[in-house]
Amino acid sequence: DSLLVEREDSVAITTVKAKKILIATGSSPFRPAGVPFDGERVFDSDSINTLTFLPKSIVITGSGIIAVEFAKIFRNLGAEVTIVIRDMSPRKALQKIGLDTDVAATLVADLVRSGIKIERGAQVGEFTVPSSPRTPLSIELKAKGGGPRAPGLATEVKCDAYLAAVGRKPNTNNLNVRSAGIEVDSYGGIVVDCHLRATAKQGNVFAAGDVLGRPFLASVGAAQAKTSVISMFGPGLEATATANAEATTNETLEESCPTNDLGGGFDPTSLANNPLAFPVGVWSSPEAAWYGYSIQQAKEQGYDAGEATALYVECLRGRVFDPNGLLKLVYDKPSGLILGVHICGQDGCELIHYGMELVKGRRTVQDLLTSLYSAVTFHELYRIAAQNCLDP
């Protein structure tokens, strides 16, 4: 029940006593070894926000959400953008983090169409950072794994700035948590049970947010914080708390786990195994978002699953503002039950929440067909996709 706090600028140690402790120290960008980060021309995904000039060219390492978002930001600002990815297929790289295959393909096609260059099967090697800010950086390109690239492929790229957007890591390195019996996983995330309680012997230490590891989303972190506080102090803090969360002792906590509306927990293991836990958005242009099952996941759950797509060009608003977008429904063929929604296009990160309610409300394709949607809206895409579900 004691927490020793040492200030960075002092040798003094302060003892803080508390019956319960919540660890919510967040995360930091992962910094690959060998990259000379300086916060002036070589950045990670946090320090890039301190950029004081608009580069004419930038190289970005990464194939995930943050890399795609920054690539489109800088391209839209007029910079020449090169993305360096280890995977040979950018579409497959995006699929690995959860994107539907057609959504991923649409997103990659937009990157290429916008003039962004993608160096596939590559990784950065040595950096030459000149003292003059007017002289470009020189970055060696190697094959995945560190060897030489195949003949004919670029072995060097020059740019005004470099960004490593290769993920995040929980902030636990300086917490000395193991001395308190608190376990961390191989990535440094605090190991918790379904109540977000850590493994401290007294059972009085909880954790929430990025310090737990993936998915590193603000919305999930807020939900975890709420769950951990209710676990710590009881459901009296929330009028709608369920009866099975009444007790606050460690013994009674073992009887039941707090869950979201769909029965899943908020601990990292439960979240990773539950595609219905939360929506995901990619804030690029176009946006991409998804909620619920992909067709592969639905089939693994035993559904006779099908999918149908509405192209943005099929509705008037999409034809005018974003003719390259798409909205896909994954559904159970016998019942018409909507199992997942996947979007790539303008306002996709807003539209996904209607899709989430369709899945959570166990709505069917037939429900969409009998609903009337206002003309010249993106929501018409839901009805169009439902109509396409009927195609043989």
Side-chain angles (χ1 to χ4, degrees):
D1 58 358
S2 294
L3 184 66
L4 303 181
V5 181
E6 181 178 357
R7 292 176 57 93
E8 290 185 1
D9 58 352
S10 172
V11 295
I13 296 178
T14 302
T15 301
V16 178
K17 291 186 175 292
K19 291 183 178 180
K20 298 182 186 296
I21 295 170
L22 174 63
I23 301 175
T25 51
S27 64
S28 301
F30 176 75
R31 287 189 162 193
V35 177
F37 295 99
D38 57 15
E40 295 179 358
R41 301 181 71 185
V42 181
F43 302 92
D44 60 35
S45 57
D46 278 0
S47 62
I48 190 67
N49 295 307
T50 67
L51 184 70
T52 59
F53 67 99
L54 178 59
K56 293 181 180 179
S57 59
I58 185 168
V59 171
I60 299 174
T61 294
S63 58
I65 291 176
I66 296 176
V68 170
E69 290 173 340
F70 273 113
K72 286 308 300 278
I73 287 172
F74 281 105
R75 186 66 190 128
N76 289 339
L77 290 172
E80 296 294 325
V81 178
T82 300
I83 301 177
V84 179
I85 67 171
R86 293 168 60 86
D87 206 301
M88 289 302 297
S89 168
R91 176 181 59 83
K92 290 183 179 179
L94 289 171
Q95 285 181 253
K96 291 176 183 177
I97 60 173
L99 274 75
D100 167 83
T101 180
D102 292 327
V103 169
T106 302
L107 206 55
V108 172
D110 174 80
L111 294 175
V112 175
R113 189 166 49 245
S114 65
I116 293 173
K117 186 176 181 180
I118 303 175
E119 292 288 351
R120 299 165 169 82
Q123 65 185 57
V124 296
E126 298 221 354
F127 283 67
T128 301
V129 183
S131 56
S132 171
R134 296 184 179 182
T135 304
L137 302 169
S138 179
I139 303 173
E140 179 187 18
L141 292 182
K142 294 184 175 182
K144 177 182 177 181
R149 303 192 77 191
L153 298 179
T155 57
E156 182 186 48
V157 61
K158 294 182 182 293
C159 58
D160 290 337
Y162 170 82
L163 165 63
V166 290
R168 303 186 67 83
K169 57 185 181 66
N171 287 333
T172 55
N173 283 345
N174 298 323
L175 297 183
N176 197 25
V177 291
R178 288 187 176 86
S179 66
I182 298 173
E183 296 179 13
V184 296
D185 61 26
S186 59
Y187 296 98
I190 292 179
V191 176
V192 294
D193 62 14
C194 63
H195 301 277
L196 305 187
R197 180 177 51 195
T199 56
K201 294 180 180 179
Q202 297 300 319
N204 63 340
V205 178
F206 296 75
D210 283 9
V211 76
L212 299 180
R214 294 179 179 178
F216 297 115
L217 294 175
S219 55
V220 172
Q224 289 172 332
K226 179 180 177 182
T227 298
S228 60
V229 169
I230 291 175
S231 295
M232 291 165 70
F233 299 109
L237 296 176
E238 184 187 59
T240 59
T242 55
N244 64 2
E246 288 178 353
T248 58
T249 64
N250 291 335
E251 292 77 9
T252 321
L253 275 176
E254 299 296 343
E255 296 177 4
S256 62
C257 292
T259 61
N260 58 36
D261 293 341
L262 291 161
F266 290 105
D267 57 286
T269 301
S270 297
L271 291 174
N273 296 322
N274 182 13
L276 303 177
F278 54 87
V280 180
V282 182
W283 291 97
S284 58
S285 54
E287 299 169 17
W290 67 94
Y291 179 81
Y293 293 111
S294 66
I295 190 168
Q296 294 85 358
Q297 290 171 324
K299 289 179 177 179
E300 290 170 0
Q301 293 297 314
Y303 289 102
D304 180 11
E307 59 183 18
T309 299
L311 302 178
Y312 269 48
V313 74
E314 294 181 83
C315 78
L316 183 58
R317 189 178 184 88
R319 181 181 293 272
V320 173
F321 293 107
D322 190 5
N324 297 311
L326 65 86
L327 182 150
K328 176 185 287 190
L329 298 178
V330 176
Y331 65 100
D332 179 52
K333 291 180 181 179
S335 66
L337 185 68
I338 299 170
L339 304 172
V341 180
H342 306 266
I343 307 172
C344 184
Q346 185 172 321
D347 291 346
C349 292
E350 294 287 349
L351 289 168
I352 197 60
H353 293 95
Y354 178 66
M356 178 176 69
E357 292 307 314
L358 293 176
V359 176
K360 291 176 64 176
R362 300 186 63 79
R363 302 289 294 277
T364 66
V365 169
Q366 289 76 15
D367 291 328
L368 293 181
L369 292 172
T370 57
S371 297
L372 184 63
Y373 294 86
S374 296
V376 201
T377 67
F378 285 130
H379 280 78
E380 286 186 292
L381 292 165
Y382 282 99
R383 177 183 53 79
I384 295 169
Q387 288 175 331
N388 292 337
C389 290
L390 303 181
D391 290 341

